[in-house]
Amino acid sequence: MDERGLADLLSQFGLSEKEIDTYLAILDRGEAKASEVANDADVSKRYVYSISEELEERGFVEVNDHSVPTMIKARPPSEVIERLSGTIETIEPELEQRYTSTNDDIEQFEVIKSRPTVIKRIERLLESADEEVTLTLPASLLTRIQPTLRETVDRGVLVLLLLSGPEAEDYPIEQLDGVASAVRVWHARAPLMLTVDRSLGLIAPNDMLTQSNSDSNAISLAQRQLVPVLIGSFLGNYWPVAEELHVERARELPLTTSDFRNAVLQVALHMQQGQDVIATVRGRPVATENGEETIEGEVVGVRQGLVKPATNSFPVENAFTIDAGNRRYTIGGEGAFVEDFEAYEVTLERPDEQDADA
């Protein structure tokens, strides 16, 4: 690297051109008098004294003003690098805290023309999931993305998977363990629909993924206002008509989740097994202007269509009822308006676990 390249790199750490020239002059000599540095860097002696103090504070040099004349000594480069690295590590958490993600890596609306790109995007979106996935997928593609689906389920993400097409009807059940929270099959060739955490979505015609000569395109979107529409279509139009093929075992309690559908699924599975469940719900009353509250009680009812038998009164209804002692509350998820309480976070426990804590 030439001197100009080194100077450019040093400027990235906030050093001005004169500061860089002064520091390089000190570095070349190892240790020098202010007059020598001033002559080498073509700056005034007074400037050398002033800038050397700043370079010392930053860890670049040591100033020995107890000697006559004052000597300025360059610190070993390894120590300088270590200090600069420490500064970067210190500032990183502050930058992360202030950083607001704009999903630059996933455009708000994007047309995808390639089948391989669509498959890679499916895997990429699944890898980003933290809470919830809904996916309508041609059964012929399941083998390709099985590993990514299993990793997603292993992270505790709710995965509702609908396999479509004639191949779905005879899909081996033994291959579905760990692939999704619940799997349904439908003989029709449904379009690909994927949603992740209620904010990312992907739509593609069935033929784009099943026919080599298709000229169809897929659409990827990252809009929290539109993705819930896809979820509503999935739960309201496709999921109810499909045949339930596999459901994962209920997760161990206690369990805390901010994904309300996951909470509803776990409540339904535990109640189907005849197990009592206590729910602690942090959220807000729907009918009042009250702020955040926490209510707790035994779950006495659940309304859902995620697993059989369905107990909801309309396709997208997912709710449960708790007995808080003084009254019963119906609990809904994000945007609840029919229920008494909108849940932000739910903790599910067994009654014996509460007794043990007490």
Side-chain angles (χ1 to χ4, degrees):
M1 181 184 300
D2 59 18
E3 186 168 322
R4 186 67 265 162
L6 178 58
D8 289 341
L9 290 176
L10 287 170
S11 70
Q12 296 180 27
F13 289 95
L15 298 181
S16 69
E17 184 175 346
K18 282 190 175 183
E19 288 173 334
I20 293 170
D21 290 341
T22 302
Y23 174 57
L24 291 179
I26 298 169
L27 201 62
D28 286 340
R29 287 182 175 267
E31 187 175 19
K33 296 181 292 187
S35 58
E36 294 173 330
V37 175
N39 183 61
D40 291 349
D42 194 24
V43 295
S44 70
K45 186 175 176 181
R46 178 178 296 180
Y47 179 82
V48 173
Y49 282 122
S50 173
I51 201 60
S52 293
E53 292 179 359
E54 294 185 20
L55 291 174
E56 185 177 39
E57 289 180 2
R58 298 188 190 186
F60 286 89
V61 302
E62 294 177 2
V63 179
N64 184 3
D65 53 9
H66 298 295
S67 65
V68 180
T70 297
M71 299 297 293
I72 306 165
K73 181 180 180 180
R75 296 188 65 180
S78 60
E79 294 181 11
V80 175
I81 296 300
E82 183 177 356
R83 177 156 180 167
L84 291 174
S85 299
T87 302
I88 293 171
E89 291 174 0
T90 300
I91 200 174
E92 181 182 6
E94 296 297 326
L95 296 176
E96 290 288 351
Q97 184 175 354
R98 289 175 174 266
Y99 174 67
T100 301
S101 173
T102 56
N103 280 319
D104 288 338
D105 55 340
I106 299 178
E107 296 183 17
Q108 285 202 335
F109 186 88
E110 179 184 2
V111 176
I112 303 174
K113 300 180 180 181
S114 163
R115 178 179 181 271
T117 302
V118 172
I119 296 174
K120 290 179 181 178
R121 182 63 58 86
I122 294 171
E123 294 176 326
R124 180 180 169 193
L125 290 173
L126 290 174
E127 289 169 352
S128 73
D130 291 322
E131 295 183 345
E132 176 184 292
V133 167
T134 65
L135 175 59
T136 302
L137 183 77
S140 57
L141 287 182
L142 181 57
T143 302
R144 165 68 188 269
I145 67 167
Q146 260 190 3
T148 310
L149 279 169
R150 292 185 189 279
E151 291 172 1
T152 305
V153 172
D154 287 344
R155 295 197 305 272
V157 176
L158 169 70
V159 178
L160 302 178
L161 172 63
L162 190 154
L163 298 176
S164 70
E167 308 90 345
E169 293 189 278
D170 299 318
Y171 205 91
I173 297 178
E174 63 273 10
Q175 296 184 19
L176 297 175
D177 190 38
V179 169
S181 309
V183 182
R184 294 192 178 187
V185 294
W186 191 30
H187 63 84
R189 296 189 182 278
L192 165 78
M193 287 200 310
L194 169 63
T195 70
V196 170
D197 294 342
R198 302 177 297 282
S199 58
L200 302 173
L202 181 65
I203 316 168
N206 183 278
D207 63 274
M208 183 181 186
L209 298 171
T210 59
Q211 299 178 20
S212 59
N213 59 348
S214 173
D215 58 358
S216 299
N217 296 328
I219 296 174
S220 173
L221 60 153
Q223 292 193 5
R224 199 171 178 84
Q225 298 84 358
L226 293 179
V227 172
V229 177
L230 297 182
I231 299 173
S233 178
F234 176 90
L235 293 174
N237 299 325
Y238 294 97
W239 196 249
V241 302
E243 177 186 353
E244 186 173 273
L245 191 61
H246 173 76
V247 178
E248 288 286 284
R249 293 179 294 276
R251 293 175 60 186
E252 293 291 328
L253 301 183
L255 167 69
T256 298
T257 179
S258 57
D259 183 69
F260 188 70
R261 265 185 285 269
N262 200 354
V264 169
L265 174 62
Q266 299 309 317
V267 165
L269 294 178
H270 280 280
M271 293 187 72
Q272 286 178 9
Q273 297 172 11
Q275 299 173 353
D276 295 332
V277 178
I278 303 296
T280 302
V281 183
R282 180 174 63 83
R284 70 169 186 90
V286 171
T288 70
E289 297 298 324
N290 294 351
E292 184 176 303
E293 296 181 12
T294 299
I295 57 175
E296 177 184 309
E298 180 180 354
V299 180
V300 294
V302 60
R303 303 182 71 85
Q304 58 82 36
L306 304 175
V307 293
K308 302 289 187 179
T311 56
N312 50 358
S313 55
F314 54 93
V316 296
E317 182 182 23
N318 291 285
F320 59 81
T321 303
I322 65 172
D323 187 343
N326 58 335
R327 61 166 288 187
R328 292 188 171 190
Y329 295 88
T330 54
I331 313 296
E334 181 178 334
F337 62 94
V338 175
E339 296 79 19
D340 301 320
F341 207 78
E342 177 185 358
Y344 302 155
E345 182 182 80
V346 178
T347 297
L348 304 176
E349 301 174 275
R350 298 286 300 279
D352 52 352
E353 291 166 343
Q354 279 209 328
D355 294 341
D357 292 340

